[in-house]
Amino acid sequence: MWMFIGLISFIACITFTVIAIVSVAKKNGKAKKQFVITAALFVIFIIAVASDPSTAVDKADNKDDNAPTKVAAIASDDVTEDDHAKKEIEEKAKLEAEKKEKEEKAKLEAEEKAKKEAEDKEKSIPREHRSALKKAELYAESMHMSKAAIYDQLTSEYGENFPQEAAQYAVDNIVFDWKENALKKAQLYAESMDMSNSAIYDQLISEYGEKFTAEEAQYAIDNLE
Protein backbone atom coordinates (compact mmCIF):
# COMPACT_ATOMS: atom_id res chain seq x y z
CA MET A 1 0.00 0.00 0.00
CA TRP A 2 2.65 2.49 1.08
CA MET A 3 4.83 1.38 -1.78
CA PHE A 4 2.03 2.16 -4.25
CA ILE A 5 1.44 5.62 -2.72
CA GLY A 6 5.15 6.35 -2.86
CA LEU A 7 5.32 5.33 -6.51
CA ILE A 8 2.36 7.62 -7.43
CA SER A 9 3.93 10.45 -5.43
CA PHE A 10 7.25 9.96 -7.17
CA ILE A 11 5.65 10.06 -10.65
CA ALA A 12 3.60 13.14 -9.73
CA CYS A 13 6.68 14.80 -8.29
CA ILE A 14 8.59 14.26 -11.52
CA THR A 15 5.63 15.56 -13.56
CA PHE A 16 5.19 18.74 -11.54
CA THR A 17 8.93 19.33 -11.57
CA VAL A 18 8.94 19.25 -15.35
CA ILE A 19 5.88 21.56 -15.48
CA ALA A 20 7.52 23.96 -13.02
CA ILE A 21 10.70 24.07 -15.07
CA VAL A 22 8.68 24.78 -18.23
CA SER A 23 6.69 27.51 -16.41
CA VAL A 24 9.84 29.15 -15.20
CA ALA A 25 11.16 29.07 -18.71
CA LYS A 26 7.95 30.76 -19.93
CA LYS A 27 7.94 33.09 -16.91
CA ASN A 28 4.55 31.80 -15.85
CA GLY A 29 3.32 33.07 -12.46
CA LYS A 30 2.11 29.63 -11.46
CA ALA A 31 5.67 28.29 -11.22
CA LYS A 32 5.99 29.00 -7.50
CA LYS A 33 2.76 27.15 -6.74
CA GLN A 34 3.92 24.20 -8.84
CA PHE A 35 7.25 24.03 -6.96
CA VAL A 36 5.38 23.93 -3.65
CA ILE A 37 3.22 21.08 -4.91
CA THR A 38 6.34 19.26 -6.14
CA ALA A 39 8.04 19.62 -2.76
CA ALA A 40 4.93 18.34 -0.99
CA LEU A 41 4.73 15.32 -3.28
CA PHE A 42 8.43 14.65 -2.72
CA VAL A 43 7.89 14.68 1.06
CA ILE A 44 4.96 12.27 0.65
CA PHE A 45 7.20 9.99 -1.41
CA ILE A 46 9.90 10.01 1.25
CA ILE A 47 7.36 9.23 3.98
CA ALA A 48 5.83 6.45 1.92
CA VAL A 49 9.19 4.79 1.33
CA ALA A 50 10.23 5.15 4.96
CA SER A 51 6.91 3.83 6.21
CA ASP A 52 6.78 0.82 3.91
CA PRO A 53 6.23 -2.13 6.27
CA SER A 54 7.64 -4.59 3.75
CA THR A 55 11.00 -2.83 3.87
CA ALA A 56 11.02 -2.92 7.67
CA VAL A 57 9.98 -6.56 7.67
CA ASP A 58 12.72 -7.41 5.17
CA LYS A 59 15.32 -5.68 7.34
CA ALA A 60 14.02 -7.44 10.42
CA ASP A 61 13.94 -10.76 8.58
CA ASN A 62 17.47 -10.25 7.37
CA LYS A 63 18.60 -9.43 10.86
CA ASP A 64 16.80 -12.42 12.36
CA ASP A 65 18.05 -14.72 9.62
CA ASN A 66 21.67 -13.68 10.12
CA ALA A 67 21.69 -14.28 13.89
CA PRO A 68 20.82 -17.99 13.78
CA THR A 69 23.23 -18.44 10.91
CA LYS A 70 26.11 -17.03 12.95
CA VAL A 71 25.14 -19.09 16.00
CA ALA A 72 24.82 -22.20 13.87
CA ALA A 73 28.22 -21.51 12.31
CA ILE A 74 29.87 -21.14 15.74
CA ALA A 75 28.13 -24.25 17.04
CA SER A 76 29.19 -26.15 13.93
CA ASP A 77 32.82 -25.12 14.44
CA ASP A 78 32.73 -26.25 18.09
CA VAL A 79 31.21 -29.60 17.15
CA THR A 80 33.77 -30.11 14.41
CA GLU A 81 36.69 -29.39 16.77
CA ASP A 82 35.27 -31.69 19.46
CA ASP A 83 34.71 -34.49 16.96
CA HIS A 84 38.23 -34.06 15.63
CA ALA A 85 39.78 -34.18 19.11
CA LYS A 86 37.65 -37.19 20.06
CA LYS A 87 38.64 -38.96 16.86
CA GLU A 88 42.34 -38.33 17.53
CA ILE A 89 42.02 -39.74 21.06
CA GLU A 90 40.21 -42.81 19.76
CA GLU A 91 42.83 -43.35 17.04
CA LYS A 92 45.67 -43.02 19.56
CA ALA A 93 44.01 -45.47 21.96
CA LYS A 94 43.44 -47.89 19.09
CA LEU A 95 47.09 -47.72 17.99
CA GLU A 96 48.31 -48.26 21.55
CA ALA A 97 46.00 -51.25 21.97
CA GLU A 98 47.22 -52.74 18.69
CA LYS A 99 50.85 -52.16 19.70
CA LYS A 100 50.31 -53.82 23.08
CA GLU A 101 48.54 -56.74 21.44
CA LYS A 102 51.42 -57.21 18.99
CA GLU A 103 53.99 -57.09 21.81
CA GLU A 104 52.08 -59.66 23.86
CA LYS A 105 51.70 -61.86 20.81
CA ALA A 106 55.41 -61.61 20.03
CA LYS A 107 56.29 -62.40 23.66
CA LEU A 108 53.99 -65.43 23.67
CA GLU A 109 55.44 -66.66 20.39
CA ALA A 110 58.98 -66.25 21.75
CA GLU A 111 58.08 -68.22 24.90
CA GLU A 112 56.45 -70.98 22.86
CA LYS A 113 59.48 -71.12 20.58
CA ALA A 114 61.90 -71.34 23.53
CA LYS A 115 59.77 -74.03 25.16
CA LYS A 116 59.65 -76.06 21.97
CA GLU A 117 63.39 -75.71 21.47
CA ALA A 118 64.01 -76.85 25.04
CA GLU A 119 61.71 -79.83 24.56
CA ASP A 120 63.36 -80.73 21.27
CA LYS A 121 66.78 -80.39 22.86
CA GLU A 122 65.78 -82.57 25.78
CA LYS A 123 64.42 -85.23 23.45
CA SER A 124 67.71 -85.27 21.58
CA ILE A 125 69.66 -85.90 24.79
CA PRO A 126 70.38 -89.57 25.53
CA ARG A 127 68.43 -91.10 28.38
CA GLU A 128 71.52 -91.80 30.51
CA HIS A 129 72.60 -88.16 30.26
CA ARG A 130 69.23 -86.96 31.52
CA SER A 131 69.28 -89.53 34.33
CA ALA A 132 72.79 -88.51 35.37
CA LEU A 133 71.67 -84.86 35.55
CA LYS A 134 68.74 -85.74 37.79
CA LYS A 135 71.03 -87.76 40.08
CA ALA A 136 73.48 -84.87 40.24
CA GLU A 137 70.70 -82.48 41.27
CA LEU A 138 69.61 -84.92 43.99
CA TYR A 139 73.15 -85.18 45.47
CA ALA A 140 73.64 -81.41 45.35
CA GLU A 141 70.34 -80.63 47.04
CA SER A 142 70.08 -83.37 49.65
CA MET A 143 73.73 -84.06 50.53
CA HIS A 144 75.26 -80.61 49.78
CA MET A 145 78.08 -82.15 47.74
CA SER A 146 80.55 -80.28 45.54
CA LYS A 147 80.53 -80.53 41.75
CA ALA A 148 83.74 -82.63 41.69
CA ALA A 149 82.44 -84.99 44.38
CA ILE A 150 79.20 -85.47 42.45
CA TYR A 151 81.13 -86.35 39.29
CA ASP A 152 83.12 -88.98 41.17
CA GLN A 153 79.93 -90.40 42.66
CA LEU A 154 78.25 -90.59 39.27
CA THR A 155 81.17 -92.41 37.60
CA SER A 156 82.22 -94.62 40.54
CA GLU A 157 81.65 -98.31 40.10
CA TYR A 158 80.63 -98.28 43.75
CA GLY A 159 78.32 -95.38 43.14
CA GLU A 160 76.04 -94.67 40.15
CA ASN A 161 78.38 -96.16 37.52
CA PHE A 162 77.31 -93.77 34.74
CA PRO A 163 79.50 -93.39 31.65
CA GLN A 164 81.94 -90.50 31.87
CA GLU A 165 80.10 -88.69 29.05
CA ALA A 166 76.82 -88.82 30.98
CA ALA A 167 78.47 -87.66 34.23
CA GLN A 168 80.25 -84.82 32.46
CA TYR A 169 76.99 -83.72 30.84
CA ALA A 170 75.40 -83.69 34.30
CA VAL A 171 78.03 -81.48 35.98
CA ASP A 172 78.18 -79.19 32.96
CA ASN A 173 74.44 -78.55 33.01
CA ILE A 174 73.60 -78.55 36.70
CA VAL A 175 72.83 -75.10 38.12
CA PHE A 176 73.52 -74.80 41.83
CA ASP A 177 74.99 -72.52 44.49
CA TRP A 178 78.19 -74.41 45.30
CA LYS A 179 79.39 -71.80 47.81
CA GLU A 180 76.21 -72.32 49.79
CA ASN A 181 76.82 -76.09 49.71
CA ALA A 182 80.33 -75.55 51.04
CA LEU A 183 78.94 -73.43 53.88
CA LYS A 184 76.39 -76.08 54.83
CA LYS A 185 79.11 -78.74 54.88
CA ALA A 186 81.28 -76.49 57.05
CA GLN A 187 78.43 -75.95 59.51
CA LEU A 188 77.90 -79.73 59.69
CA TYR A 189 81.59 -80.32 60.56
CA ALA A 190 81.57 -77.48 63.08
CA GLU A 191 78.41 -78.61 64.89
CA SER A 192 78.81 -82.38 64.75
CA MET A 193 82.59 -82.72 65.08
CA ASP A 194 83.62 -79.41 66.72
CA MET A 195 86.40 -78.93 64.18
CA SER A 196 88.52 -75.78 63.88
CA ASN A 197 88.14 -73.41 60.92
CA SER A 198 91.50 -74.50 59.54
CA ALA A 199 90.61 -78.19 59.76
CA ILE A 200 87.23 -77.56 58.18
CA TYR A 201 88.86 -75.63 55.34
CA ASP A 202 91.29 -78.49 54.67
CA GLN A 203 88.44 -81.01 54.72
CA LEU A 204 86.41 -78.94 52.27
CA ILE A 205 89.18 -78.70 49.66
CA SER A 206 90.73 -82.14 50.25
CA GLU A 207 90.90 -84.57 47.32
CA TYR A 208 89.88 -87.26 49.78
CA GLY A 209 87.28 -85.05 51.40
CA GLU A 210 84.60 -82.76 49.90
CA LYS A 211 86.56 -81.49 46.84
CA PHE A 212 85.23 -77.94 46.93
CA THR A 213 87.29 -75.23 45.25
CA ALA A 214 89.49 -72.97 47.38
CA GLU A 215 87.16 -70.04 46.70
CA GLU A 216 84.08 -72.01 47.78
CA ALA A 217 85.83 -73.25 50.93
CA GLN A 218 86.98 -69.75 51.88
CA TYR A 219 83.45 -68.43 51.46
CA ALA A 220 82.24 -71.13 53.84
CA ILE A 221 84.85 -70.25 56.50
CA ASP A 222 84.19 -66.52 56.17
CA ASN A 223 80.45 -67.01 56.71
CA LEU A 224 80.60 -69.75 59.31
CA GLU A 225 78.81 -68.86 62.55
Side-chain angles (χ1 to χ4, degrees):
M1 178 64 181
W2 282 102
M3 196 62 168
F4 178 73
I5 294 171
L7 180 61
I8 296 300
S9 298
F10 179 73
I11 294 172
C13 181
I14 295 299
T15 303
F16 275 95
T17 301
V18 173
I19 294 171
I21 292 171
V22 173
S23 297
V24 171
K26 292 181 178 181
K27 297 181 179 181
N28 192 336
K30 297 179 179 181
K32 183 176 181 181
K33 183 179 179 180
Q34 291 168 348
F35 271 117
V36 172
I37 295 171
T38 300
L41 291 171
F42 183 74
V43 171
I44 292 171
F45 169 72
I46 295 300
I47 293 172
V49 172
S51 302
D52 186 7
S54 63
T55 304
V57 172
D58 289 342
K59 291 179 179 178
D61 289 344
N62 289 335
K63 185 177 180 180
D64 292 342
D65 290 343
N66 289 336
T69 301
K70 291 180 180 178
V71 173
I74 294 173
S76 177
D77 291 341
D78 292 340
V79 171
T80 302
E81 291 178 0
D82 291 343
D83 289 344
H84 185 64
K86 184 178 180 182
K87 186 176 181 180
E88 285 184 348
I89 293 173
E90 290 176 350
E91 288 292 333
K92 185 177 180 181
K94 183 179 179 181
L95 290 175
E96 289 178 353
E98 290 177 352
K99 182 180 179 182
K100 185 176 181 180
E101 184 179 355
K102 288 180 180 178
E103 290 176 350
E104 291 178 351
K105 184 178 180 181
K107 182 180 179 181
L108 183 61
E109 289 178 350
E111 291 176 352
E112 290 292 334
K113 183 179 179 181
K115 183 179 179 181
K116 188 175 184 304
E117 288 177 351
E119 290 175 352
D120 292 342
K121 183 178 180 181
E122 185 175 357
K123 289 178 181 179
S124 66
I125 298 170
R127 186 201 64 79
E128 277 192 316
H129 286 55
R130 287 186 274 117
S131 296
L133 178 57
K134 290 180 180 179
K135 279 288 186 179
E137 291 171 346
L138 178 63
Y139 282 121
E141 185 174 356
S142 62
M143 299 181 66
H144 315 303
M145 294 173 65
S146 67
K147 183 183 289 190
I150 290 173
Y151 177 85
D152 290 344
Q153 182 66 20
L154 291 176
T155 57
S156 173
E157 62 178 327
Y158 304 106
E160 302 298 336
N161 204 22
F162 279 106
Q164 292 184 352
E165 294 81 1
Q168 190 61 50
Y169 170 82
V171 296
D172 287 344
N173 289 275
I174 189 172
V175 178
F176 220 81
D177 189 345
W178 303 111
K179 289 182 178 180
E180 191 63 24
N181 268 13
L183 177 58
K184 288 178 179 178
K185 278 288 186 179
Q187 289 174 339
L188 177 63
Y189 284 121
E191 293 172 0
S192 63
M193 301 180 67
D194 299 316
M195 295 173 62
S196 67
N197 288 355
S198 178
I200 292 173
Y201 179 86
D202 290 342
Q203 181 66 22
L204 291 177
I205 63 173
S206 173
E207 182 181 354
Y208 304 102
E210 303 298 337
K211 298 184 178 181
F212 282 101
T213 66
E215 182 182 359
E216 292 163 356
Q218 190 61 51
Y219 172 85
I221 298 301
D222 292 341
N223 292 276
L224 188 62
E225 296 180 357

